[in-house]
Amino acid sequence: RKAAGIEFAGQDPTMSWMIAEVEMVQEPAWGFRSDAYGIHAIGKIEEGGRVGVVLTERQLTIGGEPTLRDLSEALVAVYGTDYGLHNPTWLSRFTDMTRQAASYRDRRVLLGGDAAHVHPPMGGQGLNIGVQDAVNLGWKLAQVVKQISPESLLDSYHAERHPIAARVLRNAMAQVALRRMDARTKALNDIFAELLGMEEPRKRIAAEMSGLGVHYDLGEGHPLLGRRMPDLDLITANGPLRLFTLLHDARPVLLNLGEPGRLDIAPWADRVRQIDAGYAGAWKLPVLGTVAATDAVLIRPDGYVAWVGVGTQQGLMDALTTWFGPPAAAD
Ligand SMILES: Cc1cc2nc3c(=O)[nH]c(=O)nc-3n(C[C@H](O)[C@H](O)[C@H](O)COP(=O)(O)OP(=O)(O)OC[C@H]3O[C@@H](n4cnc5c(N)ncnc54)[C@H](O)[C@@H]3O)c2cc1C
């Protein structure tokens, strides 16, 4: 990213944490502890009786590898003892720096993962969205490299993934703000806790933080459009089949739940797998709950729905062309 000169816009750090895996002679105070500086945690690592430690630093420290002595002093400051810590497996530091690449693509350079976005780890979302970046990009890149799709397909990578990370960054910044220990922030935190005790806000935040509520803007239409395809229990001529097994080889799938053989996609038959199946259950999506049933769905290799048909094939050819390249010429 640096070599490509892509701007990494955002917020400088305001807080830092030390994180380590060590051994301790004495049994420490397990769990969370908060003081005027923030929240600290000591947890058991089952394997080998080791101990995981995360300590909020009293002042922002940027860079520089922390030493065992730094950790010992910080433990004493919070717990009054360092529990005889020794033998660190690793010892590190992170901050709440929050930045995002202004563009995920500059010609032949594509950014994903922490090269594209960094944020504090509250909520454990960074690796998750980094992997989703890769899954969003991988099949598009393959199709462009194989000249199945035009290069412009790659621009949908930024269009789809940049807004997702922007929301994750916003969420993580809010979590850092809510961890401040002053009375006013605690009041705000209490209100948040009350809100998250309610069904609707809890579902929304959970869907957002888990990455299961992602919605790519693929235009107006059925609520499934642009959302992650649910893992349906299908009935096929060969017996029961879980939908996600159809996605294992990362190829597009056209699922026909209507009259078998009614959808004609011959010019894409080399690229798109067509499955005739039956499904009798409900269609449930995160946050939205049950949505209207449909009888045909075009699923991208990343598991997102590119087209939904309800009793008609209208728009299918356009969706196939947009996502899986122009029709192959007839022999
Ligand atoms: C304390 C902490 C807890 C976290 N917990 C979670 C969690 O619970 N859930 C979650 O989803 N995410 C979590 N994250 C975030 C997650 O760790 C990162 O988002 C993820 O590791 C990013 O993966 P990456 O491959 O994009 O980048 P990295 O893991 O940073 O990998 C990039 C690699 O490139 C190498 N590299 C850099 N420059 C060069 C170069 N010029 N040449 C060659 N190699 C180079 C680096 O050495 C590194 O190995 C956490 C992060 C922290 C700090």
Side-chain angles (χ1 to χ4, degrees), residues 1 8 99 112-119 126-127 129-130 133:
R1 184 195 64 240
F8 205 35
R99 295 186 175 277
D114 277 22
H117 38 73
V118 291
H119 60 86
L127 190 147
I129 55 168
D133 290 342

Side-chain angles (χ1 to χ4, degrees), residues 29 46 63 72 85 97 102 104 129 132 145-147 161 172 174 205 228 241 268 291 315 325:
E46 294 303 335
S72 163
L85 89 166
M97 181 171 75
Y104 282 15
I129 55 168
Q132 286 190 24
V145 168
K146 289 182 177 172
Q147 300 185 333
R161 296 302 303 167
I205 297 282
R228 185 169 176 264
L241 183 74
W268 288 271
V291 299

